[in-house]
Amino acid sequence: TSSDYDKKAAGEKSVDFIEDGMTIGLGSGSTVYWMMKKLSQKVEQGFQVKGIPSSQRTERWAKELHIPLTNFHEVQTLDLSIDGADEIDPHLNLLKGGGGSLVREKIVNTASHYVVIIGEKPKLVSHLGNTAVPVEILPFGWEMTANYISHFGCTPILRQKDGDTFISDNGNYIVDCAFEPISNPKALHDQLKGLVGVVETGLFVNLADTVVISEDQTINIL
Ligand code: DER
């Protein structure tokens, strides 16, 4: 489908941002897979990079693709992160977490000097909120935490996977929260983040520096 082509094109184009010797954040999702596949070809030709994976799935891919890995014990900052997104607004604020990796993704992206987001045209929205906002919460007392979240105008749905409650790489739950189009993503993030039991939200505000939509369209921060 065109989406798969666009994902592959955007993923491969984003590798142009990686310079020899960089320490990079490896995002999560199917678009990032194409970036990693292209990067592994450059590594095979002698390109020196080390990556910190933002999910166990990305870590598995890196090992399969022979992309060298490091961790936050070895490095203090990352030169660059490349990650996907579910929605991208005109200010390059993002809605992420469709793949359930939002906590480690936000940690990795926040630790990076520069963040490149790869996506395709349908993800460009005027306002975040077309899809539900994933919120990672602790399992203990999750019903109370979901209730607190609902006070901000949504019905939190406990994410399921293969018929069971989805468990994140960090051993937590995720509730998907559908809000009306979000006029102020930062305010909503701050409200949610302030609640007892909330670990992190899928609202990535003021983190992305550049968005690569396909090989012919790159959008820089407004
Ligand atoms: O979960 C995430 O935030 C991912 O980056 C993700 O949603 C993008 O996934 P995709 O590249 O498979 O569309």
Side-chain angles (χ1 to χ4, degrees):
T1 65
S2 66
S3 176
D4 292 344
Y5 169 77
D6 292 341
K7 283 177 185 276
K8 188 169 186 289
E12 292 181 348
K13 170 73 183 170
S14 69
V15 173
D16 294 348
F17 285 84
I18 305 174
E19 292 166 15
D20 196 32
M22 275 189 168
T23 305
I24 60 176
L26 301 170
S28 296
S30 61
T31 314
V32 162
Y33 175 77
W34 292 114
M35 176 280 288
M36 292 176 71
K37 201 138 170 55
K38 176 85 175 182
L39 176 58
S40 72
Q41 292 165 11
K42 295 189 73 168
V43 168
E44 205 174 331
Q45 293 153 14
F47 206 60
Q48 299 288 323
V49 289
K50 287 191 291 187
I52 295 186
S54 62
S55 63
Q56 289 166 358
R57 187 180 181 218
T58 291
E59 184 174 352
R60 281 197 302 277
W61 284 344
K63 287 176 175 167
E64 286 163 14
L65 293 167
H66 309 299
I67 295 173
L69 294 177
T70 184
N71 56 59
F72 286 117
H73 185 67
E74 285 184 1
V75 300
Q76 281 66 46
T77 61
L78 298 171
D79 300 303
L80 172 76
S81 269
I82 302 181
D83 202 350
D86 298 304
E87 295 179 16
I88 304 161
D89 83 1
H91 303 281
L92 305 195
N93 292 320
L94 314 173
L95 190 150
K96 282 172 61 57
S101 312
L102 64 113
V103 172
R104 296 190 184 189
E105 287 172 334
K106 197 177 277 191
I107 290 169
V108 167
N109 291 353
T110 302
S112 302
H113 286 300
Y114 200 82
V115 176
V116 175
I117 297 298
I118 48 182
E120 58 263 27
K121 285 190 186 64
K123 296 184 173 181
L124 298 176
V125 297
S126 58
H127 290 84
L128 301 181
N130 289 4
T131 55
V133 178
V135 181
E136 183 152 327
I137 63 177
L138 292 176
F140 180 81
W142 78 268
E143 300 91 340
M144 304 306 294
T145 304
N147 186 42
Y148 304 145
I149 292 172
S150 70
H151 293 159
F152 290 112
C154 70
T155 305
I157 307 291
L158 186 62
R159 187 176 294 190
Q160 304 294 305
K161 180 165 184 178
D162 305 331
D164 280 328
T165 300
F166 171 82
I167 306 290
S168 75
D169 286 349
N170 316 301
N172 297 318
Y173 291 167
I174 287 181
V175 285
D176 290 298
C177 310
F179 295 93
E180 292 308 309
I182 300 163
S183 56
N184 187 334
K186 168 143 182 46
L188 180 56
H189 166 77
D190 290 344
Q191 287 172 324
L192 295 172
K193 185 78 190 268
L195 296 171
V196 169
V198 169
V199 175
E200 195 45 81
T201 81
L203 295 170
F204 284 49
V205 175
N206 293 329
L207 271 175
D209 295 294
T210 292
V211 173
V212 175
I213 290 300
S214 63
E215 74 276 21
D216 58 2
Q217 186 184 9
T218 298
I219 305 167
N220 290 300
I221 194 150
L222 297 182

Short mmCIF file of all heavy atoms in Angstrom, two decimals, residues 7 28-32 83-86 95-102 105 118 120 123, ligand 1:
data_model
loop_
_atom_site.label_atom_id
_atom_site.label_comp_id
_atom_site.label_asym_id
_atom_site.label_seq_id
_atom_site.Cartn_x
_atom_site.Cartn_y
_atom_site.Cartn_z
N LYS A 7 6.18 4.90 4.44
CA LYS A 7 6.93 4.61 5.67
C LYS A 7 8.37 4.28 5.31
O LYS A 7 9.32 4.80 5.89
CB LYS A 7 6.30 3.41 6.40
CG LYS A 7 5.03 3.68 7.18
CD LYS A 7 4.51 2.37 7.78
CE LYS A 7 3.16 2.57 8.46
NZ LYS A 7 3.26 3.04 9.82
N SER A 28 10.62 3.57 18.05
CA SER A 28 9.88 2.31 17.95
C SER A 28 8.77 2.43 16.90
O SER A 28 8.27 3.53 16.66
CB SER A 28 9.25 1.95 19.30
OG SER A 28 10.28 1.71 20.26
N GLY A 29 8.45 1.30 16.29
CA GLY A 29 7.34 1.26 15.33
C GLY A 29 7.81 0.81 13.95
O GLY A 29 9.01 0.72 13.68
N SER A 30 6.85 0.59 13.07
CA SER A 30 7.16 0.00 11.76
C SER A 30 7.92 0.97 10.84
O SER A 30 8.67 0.55 9.98
CB SER A 30 5.86 -0.44 11.08
OG SER A 30 5.01 0.67 10.89
N THR A 31 7.76 2.27 11.03
CA THR A 31 8.50 3.22 10.18
C THR A 31 9.97 3.22 10.60
O THR A 31 10.88 3.24 9.78
CB THR A 31 7.90 4.63 10.31
OG1 THR A 31 6.48 4.55 10.21
CG2 THR A 31 8.43 5.56 9.22
N VAL A 32 10.19 3.17 11.91
CA VAL A 32 11.56 3.12 12.43
C VAL A 32 12.27 1.88 11.93
O VAL A 32 13.48 1.90 11.68
CB VAL A 32 11.55 3.14 13.98
CG1 VAL A 32 12.86 2.65 14.56
CG2 VAL A 32 11.24 4.55 14.47
N ASP A 83 12.43 8.71 15.46
CA ASP A 83 11.29 8.01 16.02
C ASP A 83 10.05 8.24 15.15
O ASP A 83 10.03 9.15 14.31
CB ASP A 83 11.02 8.54 17.46
CG ASP A 83 10.23 7.54 18.30
OD1 ASP A 83 9.73 6.54 17.73
OD2 ASP A 83 10.14 7.76 19.52
N GLY A 84 9.07 7.41 15.33
CA GLY A 84 7.81 7.58 14.59
C GLY A 84 6.82 8.37 15.41
O GLY A 84 7.15 8.91 16.47
N ALA A 85 5.60 8.44 14.92
CA ALA A 85 4.54 9.14 15.64
C ALA A 85 3.20 8.68 15.09
O ALA A 85 3.11 8.11 14.00
CB ALA A 85 4.67 10.65 15.50
N ASP A 86 2.16 8.92 15.84
CA ASP A 86 0.81 8.60 15.36
C ASP A 86 0.12 9.83 14.79
O ASP A 86 -0.61 9.75 13.81
CB ASP A 86 -0.03 8.04 16.52
CG ASP A 86 0.57 6.74 17.04
OD1 ASP A 86 0.74 5.81 16.22
OD2 ASP A 86 0.91 6.67 18.23
N LEU A 95 1.40 13.08 18.94
CA LEU A 95 0.69 12.08 19.74
C LEU A 95 1.37 10.76 19.43
O LEU A 95 1.49 10.40 18.24
CB LEU A 95 -0.80 12.05 19.36
CG LEU A 95 -1.69 11.21 20.30
CD1 LEU A 95 -3.10 11.77 20.34
CD2 LEU A 95 -1.71 9.75 19.88
N LYS A 96 1.89 10.11 20.47
CA LYS A 96 2.62 8.85 20.28
C LYS A 96 2.12 7.81 21.25
O LYS A 96 1.32 8.10 22.13
CB LYS A 96 4.13 9.09 20.49
CG LYS A 96 4.82 9.75 19.30
CD LYS A 96 6.26 10.15 19.61
CE LYS A 96 7.12 8.96 19.98
NZ LYS A 96 7.13 7.90 18.95
N GLY A 97 2.59 6.57 21.08
CA GLY A 97 2.23 5.53 22.02
C GLY A 97 1.32 4.46 21.46
O GLY A 97 0.94 3.53 22.14
N GLY A 98 1.02 4.57 20.16
CA GLY A 98 0.17 3.55 19.53
C GLY A 98 0.78 2.16 19.66
O GLY A 98 0.08 1.16 19.80
N GLY A 99 2.13 2.15 19.68
CA GLY A 99 2.83 0.87 19.81
C GLY A 99 3.16 0.51 21.25
O GLY A 99 3.79 -0.51 21.52
N GLY A 100 2.79 1.39 22.19
CA GLY A 100 2.95 1.05 23.60
C GLY A 100 4.32 1.33 24.18
O GLY A 100 4.64 0.92 25.29
N SER A 101 5.17 2.09 23.43
CA SER A 101 6.55 2.31 23.89
C SER A 101 6.79 3.74 24.35
O SER A 101 7.94 4.17 24.46
CB SER A 101 7.52 1.99 22.73
OG SER A 101 7.18 0.77 22.14
N LEU A 102 5.73 4.48 24.65
CA LEU A 102 5.85 5.94 24.83
C LEU A 102 6.78 6.35 25.96
O LEU A 102 7.46 7.39 25.86
CB LEU A 102 4.46 6.54 25.05
CG LEU A 102 3.74 6.08 26.32
CD1 LEU A 102 3.59 7.22 27.29
CD2 LEU A 102 2.39 5.49 25.98
N GLU A 105 10.39 5.88 24.80
CA GLU A 105 10.56 6.81 23.67
C GLU A 105 10.76 8.23 24.17
O GLU A 105 11.65 8.96 23.72
CB GLU A 105 9.34 6.77 22.75
CG GLU A 105 9.23 5.52 21.92
CD GLU A 105 7.92 5.44 21.17
OE1 GLU A 105 6.91 6.03 21.62
OE2 GLU A 105 7.89 4.76 20.12
N ILE A 118 9.72 10.51 11.85
CA ILE A 118 9.41 9.99 10.52
C ILE A 118 7.98 9.51 10.47
O ILE A 118 7.49 8.84 11.39
CB ILE A 118 10.38 8.84 10.13
CG1 ILE A 118 10.51 7.80 11.25
CG2 ILE A 118 11.72 9.41 9.77
CD1 ILE A 118 11.50 6.67 10.94
N GLU A 120 4.04 9.57 7.76
CA GLU A 120 3.48 9.76 6.43
C GLU A 120 2.32 10.74 6.54
O GLU A 120 1.83 11.04 7.62
CB GLU A 120 3.04 8.42 5.83
CG GLU A 120 2.02 7.67 6.65
CD GLU A 120 2.67 6.60 7.54
OE1 GLU A 120 3.84 6.74 7.91
OE2 GLU A 120 1.96 5.68 7.92
N LYS A 123 -0.65 11.33 8.90
CA LYS A 123 -0.39 11.61 10.33
C LYS A 123 -0.33 13.10 10.62
O LYS A 123 -0.28 13.51 11.78
CB LYS A 123 0.92 10.93 10.75
CG LYS A 123 0.83 9.41 10.66
CD LYS A 123 2.07 8.73 11.15
CE LYS A 123 1.87 7.22 11.19
NZ LYS A 123 3.06 6.52 11.70
O1 DER B 1 4.12 4.07 19.49
C1 DER B 1 4.73 5.01 18.94
O2 DER B 1 4.82 6.17 19.40
C2 DER B 1 5.34 4.74 17.60
O3 DER B 1 6.31 5.64 17.28
C3 DER B 1 4.26 4.67 16.63
O4 DER B 1 3.05 5.00 17.00
C4 DER B 1 4.51 4.87 15.18
O5 DER B 1 4.25 3.62 14.66
P1 DER B 1 4.35 3.29 13.11
O6 DER B 1 5.70 3.80 12.66
O7 DER B 1 4.27 1.78 13.09
O8 DER B 1 3.20 3.98 12.45
#
